[in-house]
Amino acid sequence: MLEFREPLFLWISLLSIPLFFVMLRRGGRIRFSSLSMWAVKTTSFRAKTSFIPALLLALSFVALSVTLAGPRVPGGVIKQHREGIAMMLAIDKSGSMAALDMSKGDKEQDRLDALKDVLGDFIKGNGKLKGRYDDAIGIVSFASYPDSDCPLTLDHVTLMQLVNDISIVTDREESGTAIGDALGLSVERLRESESASKVIILLTDGVNNTGYEDPIEAARMAAQFGIKVYTIGIGTNGFAPVRLTNPFTGRSMMRQMPVELDEKMLTQIADMTGGLYFRATNREGLEAIYEKIDALEKTKISEDRTTHYDEKYFWSLAIGLILALCGLILRMTYYRRMP
């Protein structure tokens, strides 16, 4: 949009109106005893258009006042500095994650697969979830032992591939839930990050029943390093359906599995680190939880604004000079007056 550096100079253009009428006045008079010899019924083209020099000079005055006002077009340049969040996703992959209480519609889906879908929307963006494009995200999956599946990375395409590669453990010796070890490993991965904001999202459907590190001690260590932990307890209350294969007949069958979740411990971990505890008993609840976390943990954006201007006074100056020159030339030649 065109703007003016000194818009008050535009008021000078109003002087062009009296200037126009002043220049229309005749320069002198010749007295005659009779005007009958000059009586002509028709008026020449030059007489009809004699106002043109005055008009050109008045318009040149307007153009020069516009030049003084400094017409220009701003060209703003905005430099953005985006400060992302360092985030570790601690994902439970113990055998209980095979429960089907997170299914959507008629399609059976276990807890881990439902989580993968929601994480995909959380990381890449979909609907209300805007995506975490500026965040460095890593993965720790755990059952009886924690695994560092992916270090902190901005390569979210590879990250999602690694998320999708996580599978529920099938060996009974590995089907425990080492929440303390998983949390401790996540803290270790975040500890050396230079990000000002560090977050762990810990999701589990069980209790801490194996491992070497106590979850509360791991939470205390997270708090010391300024790491916020959001904990999510996933699964229905009471019993959850699980599809099993009969080892004798090979037929698939549905069984009800008791749900055991240490909500008190998960709440304590969140409170100690400044995070929040959420409970997801169905797929919609899980999606809503990640929407809340997405809204709570926002990427910080700062802007440095610098503005340059494309000056346009050259054109108004050139037009003003051309109009003034044409007006003066016509006034002294074709529209010259005598005396």
Side-chain angles (χ1 to χ4, degrees):
M1 296 293 292
L2 183 68
E3 65 176 44
F4 295 93
R5 185 180 60 255
E6 302 291 344
L8 291 178
F9 278 106
L10 293 175
W11 290 99
I12 299 178
S13 63
L14 295 177
L15 296 177
S16 62
I17 299 174
L19 179 65
F20 171 74
F21 289 104
V22 167
M23 288 186 293
L24 279 181
R25 294 179 58 187
R26 298 182 181 277
R29 297 179 180 180
I30 300 177
R31 295 181 179 273
F32 293 92
S33 57
S34 174
L35 297 176
S36 59
M37 62 179 294
W38 302 104
V40 181
K41 294 182 179 181
T42 59
T43 305
S44 66
F45 174 80
R46 183 166 57 180
K48 290 179 179 180
T49 59
S50 60
F51 66 90
I52 289 179
L55 178 62
L56 292 177
L57 290 170
L59 291 176
S60 71
F61 192 82
V62 173
L64 292 175
S65 67
V66 171
T67 301
L68 291 174
R72 60 186 184 179
V73 175
V77 177
I78 301 175
K79 297 180 181 179
Q80 289 189 343
H81 304 284
R82 306 178 73 91
E83 182 183 339
I85 296 167
M87 182 182 301
M88 290 299 300
L89 306 176
I91 302 172
D92 191 341
K93 61 178 179 180
S94 60
S96 57
M97 290 292 286
L100 302 175
D101 50 357
M102 292 289 141
S103 298
K104 190 173 185 179
D106 297 331
K107 180 184 177 183
E108 286 189 0
Q109 196 172 37
D110 61 40
R111 294 172 177 175
L112 183 59
D113 286 337
L115 173 62
K116 290 177 182 179
D117 289 346
V118 176
L119 281 178
D121 294 340
F122 177 71
I123 294 170
K124 297 184 294 184
N126 184 24
K128 294 181 180 179
L129 294 167
K130 304 303 181 183
R132 313 298 304 190
Y133 303 106
D134 299 295
D135 298 338
I137 303 176
I139 310 167
V140 168
S141 63
F142 64 96
S144 292
Y145 311 100
D147 294 315
S148 183
D149 296 280
C150 182
L152 292 171
T153 180
L154 290 170
D155 183 0
H156 294 169
V157 174
T158 301
L159 177 74
M160 281 310 305
Q161 291 175 350
L162 294 172
V163 168
N164 292 326
D165 287 340
I166 298 173
S167 59
I168 297 172
V169 297
T170 56
D171 191 337
R172 287 190 176 183
E173 294 182 357
E174 298 181 6
S175 61
T177 308
I179 296 175
D181 289 355
L183 183 56
L185 180 58
S186 299
V187 171
E188 185 64 26
R189 292 291 177 267
L190 281 175
R191 185 172 61 86
E192 296 181 357
S193 172
E194 296 181 357
S195 176
S197 183
K198 305 173 185 179
V199 172
I200 295 172
I201 303 177
L202 171 67
L203 182 141
T204 183
D205 66 346
V207 297
N208 185 71
N209 52 24
T210 187
Y212 298 97
E213 192 161 3
D214 179 66
I216 302 304
E217 289 300 320
R220 187 172 289 110
M221 183 172 59
Q224 289 176 353
F225 290 112
I227 299 172
K228 189 184 301 183
V229 182
Y230 291 99
T231 54
I232 302 174
I234 186 172
T236 55
N237 293 312
F239 292 86
V242 179
R243 186 168 293 282
L244 303 174
T245 302
N246 190 313
F248 301 103
T249 63
R251 295 180 60 182
S252 176
M253 56 184 181
M254 191 76 73
R255 289 288 185 268
Q256 292 294 321
M257 178 186 68
V259 174
E260 186 181 7
L261 183 65
D262 193 346
E263 293 190 85
K264 181 180 179 181
M265 178 197 67
L266 294 176
T267 302
Q268 188 176 358
I269 290 173
D271 290 343
M272 289 177 63
T273 60
L276 293 171
Y277 167 67
F278 301 96
R279 179 68 189 274
T281 57
N282 53 42
R283 172 68 174 265
E284 291 72 20
L286 184 62
E287 293 173 348
I289 288 170
Y290 276 93
E291 287 176 10
K292 291 178 182 178
I293 296 175
D294 188 55
L296 289 169
E297 295 297 331
K298 295 182 179 180
T299 300
K300 296 180 181 179
I301 302 175
S302 60
E303 292 183 349
D304 294 332
R305 292 180 176 265
T306 58
T307 305
H308 70 271
Y309 294 93
D310 185 9
E311 303 289 345
K312 300 295 183 181
Y313 67 87
F314 171 80
W315 297 104
S316 57
L317 177 62
I319 291 172
L321 293 176
I322 292 172
L323 289 174
L325 184 61
C326 291
L328 291 173
I329 292 174
L330 289 174
R331 189 178 182 87
M332 292 185 296
T333 56
Y334 186 71
Y335 294 101
R336 185 174 58 177
R337 296 176 180 179
M338 296 297 292

